[in-house]
Amino acid sequence: MLKIESAEVIIVRLPLKFRFETSFGVQTEKVVPLLVLHGNGLEGVAEGTMEAAPMYREETITGALHLLKAVFLPRILGKTFANPEALYDALGDFRGNKMARAMVEMAAWDLWARTLEVPLGQLLGGRKERVEVGVSLGIQSDEQATVDIVRRHVEQGYRRIKLKIKPGWDIQPVRAAREAFPDIKLTVDANSAYTLADTGRLRALDEYDLVYIEQPLAWDDLPDHAELQKRIRTPLCLDESVTSPQDARKALAMHAGGVINLKVSRVGGHAEARRVHDIAASFGAPVWCGGMLESGIGRAHNIHLSTLPNFKLPGDTSSASRYWEQDIINEPLEAADGLMPVPSGPGTGVSLNREFIARIAELHEEQHA
Ligand code: OSB
Ligand code: MG
């Protein structure tokens, strides 16, 4: 059984080692909301992936904190659940807010796996000891800078290079990267910056042998993606616009894309992510594990989820040392030759660096039943 005795809500701010530009903005630091659930004499930890402003999807950190404190935690504190899925059911009548609900669910999975003394990935049904990873590279100042940063990451062994693009900066970086590296697995991610009126521009990318084009159209759209997919050859990969198993089924049935970037937080947690994974498999569509510039906590969750069999393309879960001078966990999460080792201990197999957190936390609150 899973008895939830108390919770901690923590916020830390970490400077990013690189400037990360996407079609929706520039990031130079990461605000990391954390939830720790205590029970069974253990703790389970999860990271929220919503941001300060609703630029990726609609959720925000402030909104999530309010929901956790006032709405979600009161429903689970002091209560006992059969397993993490039963705990998630306690939040089942709430609409949306998948990332906020995922914080509770994912912390519960970590706690449950620690209670059972098994690695989280194994508990979810995964069997891999390491997972294939690529990198997501932000928009660079020019073609030469693009080729340089691609080269550095290819040399580090990353198995797929994803370039962020935006209208006016799409064919140029792709052409430059493809000419310099004819054989790499190359993809692009537009984060919803285009419309069907840009079909010509997107079709021009067909020439560069991309594995997929990620989320070119609106964050909440499926039908226009299906229309675009009829007009271009490169498979579309859906990120923003798949937030549930039902979305995944509809998207694949209407041929809105052939690949899903599966982010556990975006779909409401591990159990829902596994359902999305299974639906994609039943359509013969591969998934891969996306990232949201997570700290070691979210990164470890992502790595465990990626051990499921239909994660057939390299994920965005690259080495933690790419992002942070100092991470908030005690363990390194480092890929070698494009393979990220799955932490082998119980749960996520990683632990909060409490001394570092105490020093940098901008918020640290405890909540009891
Ligand atoms: O669209 O996949 C995305 C980061 C923030 C918000 C959205 C996205 C991303 C990334 C970064 O691509 C992936 C990572 O390195 O974690
Ligand atoms: Mg994306």
Side-chain angles (χ1 to χ4, degrees), residues 272-332:
E272 287 287 88
R274 189 168 53 186
R275 290 184 190 104
V276 171
H277 163 277
D278 292 351
I279 285 171
S282 74
F283 278 90
V287 303
W288 56 276
C289 187
M292 295 289 287
L293 312 174
E294 285 92 342
S295 80
I297 294 295
R299 192 168 305 278
H301 276 278
N302 292 342
I303 293 165
H304 280 278
L305 179 68
S306 306
T307 61
L308 293 173
N310 195 37
F311 281 84
K312 289 200 168 137
L313 296 171
D316 272 347
T317 316
S318 53
S319 296
S321 63
R322 279 190 64 232
Y323 303 80
W324 326 113
E325 218 57 73
Q326 170 153 19
D327 201 344
I328 60 170
I329 58 170
N330 295 306
E331 300 75 10

Side-chain angles (χ1 to χ4, degrees), residues 13-70:
R13 189 184 298 264
L14 297 175
L16 264 175
K17 278 169 79 173
F18 49 83
R19 176 184 184 278
F20 191 65
E21 180 172 345
T22 66
S23 65
F24 60 79
V26 178
Q27 255 179 293
T28 56
E29 61 171 20
K30 184 80 211 265
V31 181
V32 181
L34 298 164
L35 176 68
V36 185
L37 292 180
H38 294 267
N40 302 355
L42 297 164
E43 62 181 48
V45 191
E47 169 172 353
T49 63
M50 64 295 288
E51 286 163 4
M55 299 298 292
Y56 165 77
R57 281 201 54 96
E58 78 285 17
E59 292 186 70
T60 62
I61 294 172
T62 311
L65 289 183
H66 162 71
L67 286 172
L68 284 172
K69 290 190 231 176

Side-chain angles (χ1 to χ4, degrees), residues 161-239:
I161 302 290
K162 158 171 144 185
L163 300 176
K164 292 288 189 180
I165 59 167
K166 62 180 179 183
W169 186 251
D170 37 37
I171 295 167
Q172 306 92 317
V174 169
R175 189 199 298 122
R178 182 49 90 205
E179 280 174 4
F181 303 97
D183 300 323
I184 58 170
K185 268 192 191 158
L186 187 64
T187 73
V188 294
D189 186 359
N191 288 109
S192 302
Y194 295 84
T195 72
L196 280 178
D198 302 306
T199 297
R201 198 85 190 158
L202 295 165
R203 192 191 285 121
L205 292 173
D206 274 344
E207 235 187 276
Y208 301 98
D209 195 25
L210 301 176
V211 186
Y212 49 78
I213 299 173
E214 184 175 338
Q215 197 72 32
L217 307 181
W219 64 280
D220 56 352
D221 170 77
L222 291 178
D224 278 2
H225 280 96
E227 179 57 35
L228 178 63
Q229 187 69 92
K230 281 194 239 160
R231 301 179 185 179
I232 70 174
R233 204 173 58 232
T234 308
L236 298 180
C237 169
L238 297 165
D239 175 355

Side-chain angles (χ1 to χ4, degrees), residues 49 57 59 84-85 87-89 91 96-107 109 242-245 262-276:
T49 63
R57 281 201 54 96
E59 292 186 70
E85 301 198 65
L87 180 143
Y88 191 68
D89 284 346
L91 310 177
N97 296 286
K98 296 285 179 83
M99 292 175 170
R101 283 195 275 164
M103 289 180 79
V104 180
E105 200 255 16
M106 293 166 73
W109 272 103
V242 171
T243 66
S244 67
L262 183 43
K263 291 179 182 165
V264 51
S265 61
R266 196 191 61 226
V267 301
H270 286 296
E272 287 287 88
R274 189 168 53 186
R275 290 184 190 104
V276 171

